[in-house]
Amino acid sequence: MDILRAILFILPAYFANATPVIFGGGAPVDFGKKFSDGRRVLGDGKTWRGLFAGIFFGTLVAVVIGYCIPDVVGYAFFASRLPRTEMGSGIPPLSGESGAVLFGILGFLLSCGAMFGDLLGSFVKRRMGAAPGQPSFALDQLMFLVFAVAFAWPLRAVGLDEFVFLVVLTYALHVLMNLLANRLGLKKVPW
Ligand code: CTP
Ligand code: MG
């Protein structure tokens, strides 16, 4: 596993997951509707604007990365879909434009998966009776990661070692970000 390329691969999903916090608001995805259990389907924390912002910025980041370092992401992009013997030798160099298109498509899939996982996480949280904003690492942080990886699977398979690394990285970033938000006074508690 290549740590740098694993991080590059998941970066668009992180952006997709983070931007709704900044750009979200307005009409909720569930339009305020309640599920058969009487609770909201998704809750006010999931908005259309946040959803589209996540997909847009996740894809945009991927396009920029693909354009700037096509040789690096070109390899990352193909590596898991090439026979092992061809790795490193049979890969044609990518131009900035094709890097932008290829990594952009990957970024779009990652972002759609991240947003889908995020919605599904909220759906499960509401069924469990958790209020919007109530933290749950498994549902908040793992759902988006699992579905981002799953949606991108046709273009880039992820090995078990790489997946475990991404889970650990996501958890570490999650803890670090909450600590930072607490220190900056954006969050009352450091978790
Ligand atoms: N957000 C949004 N649209 C989305 C996802 C997030 O507008 N599709 C915004 C909302 O303002 C939300 C904030 O980003 O409150 C934080 O997102 P998240 O932690 O995913 O939502 P929660 O409010 O914690 O709600 P839930 O318990 O359903 O996860
Ligand atoms: Mg939350």
Side-chain angles (χ1 to χ4, degrees):
M1 185 197 47
D2 185 321
I3 286 181
L4 171 72
R5 293 194 170 93
I7 294 172
L8 272 176
F9 164 70
I10 207 64
L11 218 53
Y14 283 173
F15 269 85
N17 195 46
T19 40
V21 184
I22 305 162
F23 298 99
V29 175
D30 66 6
F31 294 112
K33 287 201 169 36
K34 291 196 168 92
F35 197 63
S36 55
D37 56 12
R39 299 193 182 101
R40 284 284 295 275
V41 180
L42 301 170
D44 285 332
K46 303 293 119 133
T47 67
W48 286 104
R49 230 163 60 202
L51 187 69
F52 289 124
I55 295 172
F56 178 78
F57 285 104
T59 307
L60 184 69
V61 161
V63 167
V64 172
I65 293 174
Y67 185 77
C68 293
I69 43 171
D71 39 349
V72 180
V73 297
Y75 174 61
F77 183 88
F78 287 116
S80 62
R81 288 301 188 213
L82 279 176
R84 293 228 171 268
T85 48
E86 279 182 39
M87 278 168 63
S89 58
I91 302 155
L94 284 178
S95 67
E97 285 77 12
S98 33
V101 171
L102 290 179
F103 204 61
I105 295 170
L106 186 72
F108 177 72
L109 292 175
L110 283 167
S111 302
C112 288
M115 292 296 93
F116 178 80
D118 185 50
L119 292 182
L120 197 63
S122 289
F123 179 78
V124 174
K125 278 170 85 175
R126 297 301 88 79
R127 303 292 69 75
M128 288 165 39
Q134 200 169 310
S136 155
F137 176 75
L139 294 170
D140 291 338
Q141 305 298 313
L142 285 186
M143 289 295 253
F144 96 85
L145 182 64
V146 166
F147 281 92
V149 168
F151 274 45
W153 200 264
L155 294 187
R156 189 172 189 277
V158 168
L160 185 63
D161 53 347
E162 195 174 18
F163 185 70
V164 170
F165 168 74
L166 290 177
V167 171
V168 173
L169 177 72
T170 304
Y171 183 71
L173 282 174
H174 171 71
V175 171
L176 209 71
M177 286 303 166
N178 284 333
L179 213 66
L180 194 71
N182 173 250
R183 289 277 187 281
L184 292 173
L186 299 169
K187 232 169 158 252
K188 280 207 183 75
V189 288
W191 53 82

